[in-house]
Amino acid sequence: MANVLNTLIERRKNKVLMFALLDPDKFSPDKAKQLASRKEMGFFDAFLVGGSTTIWQDRVDSIVRTLKENTDKPVIIFPSSISNLSPYADAVLFLSLLNSSSTFYVIDQQFQAAPIIRKMGLEAISTAYIIMGDGGTAGYVGHARPIPYDKPELVEAYALAAEYLGFKLIYLEGGSGVRTPIRLEIIKRVKKITHVPLIVGGGIRDWKYIKSLEECGADGVVIGNLLENENEFENFISQSPRERSEIKPF
Ligand code: 1GP
């Protein structure tokens, strides 16, 4: 597959990117196949595979392989540890959790994973991972010091540090399943201070918020929890704006 990051940046010119996040702990390969085969998944630009507590590499492999067999979209690993890598994916978000209090999540795992990623032939997308608000399981597992929503100046400083350190992507995380997603004001401020592409995740459940994120300049949104709940997902699909289905699929 062509360079995944460049392909996504090119697609961003037309619309905010949508990432479907599949947690191998919650998706069987069969369920992943069913989801990937749905025509409504045309809304999404790429799949992310990962979860904060996943440890079974063979499960990650089988989900990635299923997705590769059933879709043309890029499949990108969103790892919580080295055991989440898979040679069958196209790329990996090579994350550094900038506001972790443990070097394990900032650089220690990364130096161990780098040679493996090279051997697997995965494209490594250098990503500054910043956790805010509730932080959810990712915040707990990653020893994060989540940034309060009322301290946007701290996020700005982290975003700027990410730019100066040469990261290719910033991922602002509110935590999977949180009730209050990241405030729009924060997105606006981050986009004002840096041009590093910005993706946002945690508690995103409706089109209105996605549209507002897009208007604030977010480059991508990550949707996980919603895909796991059939009723909620059906409801989401039924409310999709018409122009979404007109976007050329891969
Ligand atoms: C979690 O940001 C992602 O890492 C997605 O969050 O599961 O709440 O969509 P949700």
Side-chain angles (χ1 to χ4, degrees), residues 3 11 39 45 48 50-51 79 92 95 111 114 127 142 152-154 170 175 177 184 186 192 194 212 237 243:
N3 182 286
R11 277 180 83 77
K39 72 172 180 1
D45 301 283
L48 296 180
V92 54
L95 302 169
F111 107 88
T127 305
E153 66 278 11
L154 298 182
I170 296 173
L184 298 170
I186 295 169
K192 211 167 170 190
T194 174
S212 308
I237 288 171
E243 65 269 20

Side-chain angles (χ1 to χ4, degrees), residues 104-229:
F104 187 68
Y105 293 97
V106 182
I107 184 60
D108 296 347
Q109 287 203 99
Q110 290 74 355
F111 107 88
Q112 290 178 333
I116 300 171
I117 288 171
R118 172 62 63 88
K119 277 202 186 110
M120 286 182 172
L122 295 174
E123 176 183 333
I125 302 174
S126 143
T127 305
Y129 192 38
I130 302 167
I131 299 188
M132 297 202 67
D134 179 295
T137 310
Y140 178 81
V141 172
H143 295 242
R145 293 178 302 145
I147 305 172
Y149 282 163
D150 62 353
K151 297 284 175 205
E153 66 278 11
L154 298 182
V155 195
E156 284 177 318
Y158 270 109
L160 209 47
E163 178 182 316
Y164 294 162
L165 286 165
F167 285 95
K168 297 281 188 292
L169 198 64
I170 296 173
Y171 186 153
L172 262 191
E173 173 73 84
S176 183
V178 291
R179 285 285 131 208
T180 319
I182 294 176
R183 285 187 197 163
L184 298 170
E185 175 61 21
I186 295 169
I187 310 303
K188 271 190 211 155
R189 287 182 62 160
V190 170
K191 283 308 291 183
K192 211 167 170 190
I193 208 156
T194 174
H195 295 298
V196 178
L198 172 68
I199 61 176
V200 183
I204 299 177
R205 290 180 191 81
D206 67 79
W207 290 104
K208 197 167 158 235
Y209 179 69
I210 294 172
K211 186 146 186 29
S212 308
L213 280 173
E214 185 168 20
E215 286 163 3
C216 292
D219 298 287
V221 300
V222 180
I223 294 182
N225 237 260
L226 184 70
L227 305 175
E228 292 158 21
N229 181 318

Side-chain angles (χ1 to χ4, degrees), residues 48-125:
L48 296 180
V49 176
S52 301
T53 51
T54 310
I55 45 164
W56 289 5
Q57 208 223 324
D58 59 345
R59 183 62 173 253
V60 177
D61 277 346
S62 53
I63 300 284
V64 171
R65 292 179 79 160
T66 303
L67 291 174
K68 288 301 296 174
E69 283 158 16
N70 291 282
T71 166
D72 294 334
K73 296 171 205 286
V75 178
I76 306 168
I77 301 290
F78 174 44
S80 63
S81 76
I82 297 178
S83 65
N84 294 172
L85 297 173
S86 169
Y88 305 105
D90 300 300
V92 54
L93 292 186
F94 196 64
L95 302 169
S96 180
L97 175 46
L98 294 192
N99 59 325
S100 173
S101 57
S102 162
T103 58
F104 187 68
Y105 293 97
V106 182
I107 184 60
D108 296 347
Q109 287 203 99
Q110 290 74 355
F111 107 88
Q112 290 178 333
I116 300 171
I117 288 171
R118 172 62 63 88
K119 277 202 186 110
M120 286 182 172
L122 295 174
E123 176 183 333
I125 302 174

